[in-house]
Amino acid sequence: MQANYNPGEKVENLKQIDPEVYQSINDEILRQSDKLELIASENFVSVAVLEAMGQVMTNKYAEGYPGKRYYGGCVFVDVAEDLARERAKQLFAADHANVQPHSGSQANMEAYFSFAKFGDTIMGMNLDHGGHLTHGSPVNFSGRFFNIISYGVSRQTGYIDMNEVEDLAVKEKPRIIVTGASAYSREIDYKAFREIADKVGAILLADIAHPAGLIAAGLLDSPLPHCHVVTTTTHKTLRGPRGGMILVGKDMENDMGQKTPKGKIKKISQIIDSNVFPGFQGGPLMHVIAAKAVAFKEALEPEFKVYSQNVINNAKRLAQELMERDFQIVSKGTDMHLMLIDLRNKELTGKKAENVLERAGITVNKNMVPFDDQSPFITSGIRIGTPALTTRGMGEDQMKEIAGFINKVLNDPDNETIIEQVRSEVYDLCQQFPLYPALK
Ligand SMILES: *Cc1c(COP(=O)(O)O)cnc(C)c1O
């Protein structure tokens, strides 16, 4: 029997039952469609992904893994989770995939505790230089539970300073080296990181939350052949539902002698799985896992490679157009989907720039730049990225136009007439690239 599933009817129900939440969702649909989304970590999922997320698998408890659950009635959620795992493995040429982490942060927590214990040393990229909160910020679990040492980028080039990475690793002997970032626009040399990790006996973890989709599309080097473990989100360039995932490239017995109850040395995948559940999570979000499977299917299609190439082309073009308008891009360009603008030559803070662009219909986030002298609440930069606008179908011509908008607004940030004028041009541009027409 076919399930009676009618999204239109569901919206009507929500409207009747909770008009306030209904209204907030409708307003959000309009905000997403009528503004230029340049937040580098955001994207627009397909209607198929939305549909998979908004269904009855949210009702199901499925602690454990497919075929080994602690609850009955898991036969159909097992199908969805197996599809997600198999497709993830295929996308990244991985030996093993755990698709249960609720978020990227949780994936990192689970991966760290698979190989390190409280107080151990973890080496990650400095947040101010582009790293993520979970790579050792003192306000995050990572900085509170572990002894953190941080590497950064070179002041001259804006590229990761591999000599500094090596010197620090040799001196501090970290248990885990974390590579990957949230605001770093250059490819990472995973092979060089692995050589350093091997030299000091560290586990190498790549956090590909940002470039995951571009790596899946084969456009950036994969960390899988070089790293012991790889964590990611599923909702950034990978364009899936909000969530996390942990991958293992070449599965092998761990070097810490962690044993199974039967006395066998555990493989890395076994350690990861038991740290996700029961280590850190209870029931997996089965509706989100189903939606991950859908997104992975989409990412395996040839169109996704075309999309991802366009994301990169758009970012390179936007960076170039901005540099021609006297904006300073950290490292003078990008290899991927994002860039960091250092606004110090404009005598403008990141906070002010984010605010005034928002009023002109352009959504970005303020961001620390390397060697920033402002606080994280003010900052000297903004981070921008192209995954979301590329999903709408925008191309290089639009990037040029958008660089012009940003230039106009930021060069005269207190001019209300300009803000108003750009806002109306942004609105017109957005109408040419409709988003979710069926949902409005
Ligand atoms: C976004 C991001 C995360 C965290 O993902 P959440 O799902 O927001 O918890 C982790 N690491 C990096 C590098 C990220 O950019």
Side-chain angles (χ1 to χ4, degrees):
M1 199 184 80
Q2 197 67 29
N4 181 8
Y5 179 69
N6 181 345
E9 192 174 290
K10 268 178 47 181
V11 173
E12 282 309 305
N13 285 341
L14 176 61
K15 188 176 183 177
Q16 282 155 13
I17 290 165
D18 193 337
E20 289 159 290
V21 167
Y22 174 82
Q23 185 62 44
S24 72
I25 293 174
N26 251 15
D27 289 344
E28 176 62 11
I29 292 173
L30 287 180
R31 187 193 69 78
Q32 291 187 11
S33 24
D34 295 344
K35 298 204 165 185
L36 287 174
E37 185 56 73
L38 281 168
I39 292 181
S41 48
E42 294 189 13
N43 211 329
F44 301 121
V45 299
S46 69
V47 172
V49 168
L50 285 181
E51 251 185 85
M53 249 187 301
Q55 39 70 1
V56 297
M57 283 196 182
T58 191
N59 297 332
K60 189 70 197 100
Y61 247 111
E63 285 179 349
Y65 292 98
K68 283 171 281 185
R69 303 285 193 185
Y70 290 78
Y71 288 81
C74 287
V75 50
F76 302 117
V77 294
D78 277 7
V79 172
E81 184 163 348
D82 273 332
L83 284 169
R85 294 202 294 191
E86 288 310 312
R87 289 171 183 169
K89 280 158 60 177
Q90 201 185 333
L91 260 184
F92 292 94
D95 255 17
H96 183 73
N98 188 312
V99 296
Q100 293 193 2
H102 302 324
S103 70
S105 296
Q106 195 137 29
N108 280 345
M109 184 184 266
E110 291 154 354
Y112 294 169
F113 277 105
S114 294
F115 302 105
K117 46 187 196 327
F118 278 97
D120 278 357
T121 299
I122 293 183
M123 183 165 127
M125 189 161 178
N126 191 330
L127 180 64
D128 301 359
H129 289 221
H132 186 257
L133 277 170
T134 56
H135 298 183
S137 162
V139 298
N140 181 259
F141 84 87
S142 52
R144 293 158 63 191
F145 296 173
F146 298 105
N147 172 42
I148 297 294
I149 49 170
S150 303
Y151 58 88
V153 300
S154 137
R155 198 188 270 271
Q156 285 78 33
T157 63
Y159 283 66
I160 290 174
D161 186 340
M162 291 307 291
N163 291 328
E164 185 195 357
V165 173
E166 178 158 9
D167 291 349
L168 264 176
V170 168
K171 182 158 158 266
E172 305 281 352
K173 300 261 181 304
R175 178 72 205 125
I176 302 176
I177 297 177
V178 181
T179 169
S182 300
Y184 181 68
S185 64
R186 295 304 182 174
E187 274 214 74
I188 288 170
D189 187 347
Y190 301 110
K191 190 161 172 277
F193 266 100
R194 178 58 185 260
E195 278 160 17
I196 295 170
D198 283 347
K199 192 168 169 184
V200 302
I203 291 282
L204 181 61
L205 181 155
D207 177 353
I208 58 167
H210 262 270
L214 309 177
I215 292 168
L219 301 172
L220 296 178
D221 270 350
S222 173
L224 270 295
H226 306 291
C227 299
H228 297 94
V229 60
V230 174
T231 59
T232 184
T233 62
T234 48
H235 51 272
K236 297 179 184 175
T237 50
L238 197 47
R239 207 166 61 182
R242 189 160 292 281
M245 171 160 74
I246 305 178
L247 301 163
V248 177
K250 195 164 141 294
D251 199 6
M252 52 192 148
E253 290 183 346
N254 77 89
D255 68 344
M256 298 161 78
Q258 296 179 35
K259 300 250 175 73
T260 65
K262 288 186 180 144
K264 279 177 66 183
I265 299 200
K266 284 186 174 178
K267 292 193 153 201
I268 288 180
S269 57
Q270 293 174 302
I271 303 177
I272 296 287
D273 282 357
S274 60
N275 270 279
V276 174
F277 175 83
F280 285 87
Q281 295 189 179
L285 309 176
M286 289 314 310
H287 56 309
V288 177
I289 290 172
K292 284 173 182 171
V294 175
F296 298 160
K297 180 173 190 189
E298 292 172 351
L300 283 163
E301 296 295 325
E303 292 79 28
F304 189 77
K305 185 165 182 169
V306 176
Y307 159 73
S308 301
Q309 185 63 61
N310 289 340
V311 168
I312 296 175
N313 294 348
N314 281 345
K316 285 181 189 283
R317 180 65 183 269
L318 188 54
Q320 178 205 328
E321 295 287 341
L322 286 167
M323 286 189 289
E324 282 171 15
R325 290 166 177 78
D326 192 34
F327 283 94
Q328 290 179 352
I329 308 288
V330 174
S331 89
K332 300 196 164 48
T334 180
D335 297 331
M336 45 182 92
H337 62 292
L338 63 76
M339 68 209 73
L340 203 50
I341 309 180
D342 186 334
L343 293 164
R344 283 178 288 197
N345 64 328
K346 301 280 182 190
E347 288 175 21
L348 193 64
T349 65
K351 185 179 176 192
K352 170 104 188 192
E354 175 189 304
N355 185 273
V356 66
L357 285 171
E358 165 101 57
R359 292 177 49 225
I362 301 170
T363 316
V364 305
N365 62 281
K366 62 175 177 288
N367 212 99
M368 297 289 272
V369 294
F371 310 100
D372 207 325
D373 17 47
Q374 300 281 358
S375 76
F377 298 103
I378 309 288
T379 78
S380 297
I382 52 175
R383 184 187 64 164
I384 59 182
T386 53
L389 293 187
T390 308
T391 293
R392 289 184 81 149
M394 292 191 189
E396 292 190 45
D397 291 347
Q398 286 73 45
M399 296 305 120
K400 184 176 176 191
E401 206 176 334
I402 291 166
F405 294 157
I406 293 173
N407 186 43
K408 266 197 229 170
V409 173
L410 295 189
N411 275 331
D412 201 355
D414 297 311
N415 186 328
E416 294 299 324
T417 316
I418 289 184
I419 294 173
E420 200 46 51
Q421 185 202 332
V422 169
R423 196 160 67 152
S424 125
E425 289 177 82
V426 163
Y427 182 85
D428 290 344
L429 177 60
C430 288
Q431 306 317 305
Q432 294 169 39
F433 295 87
L435 181 67
Y436 298 132
L439 299 183
K440 282 194 200 164

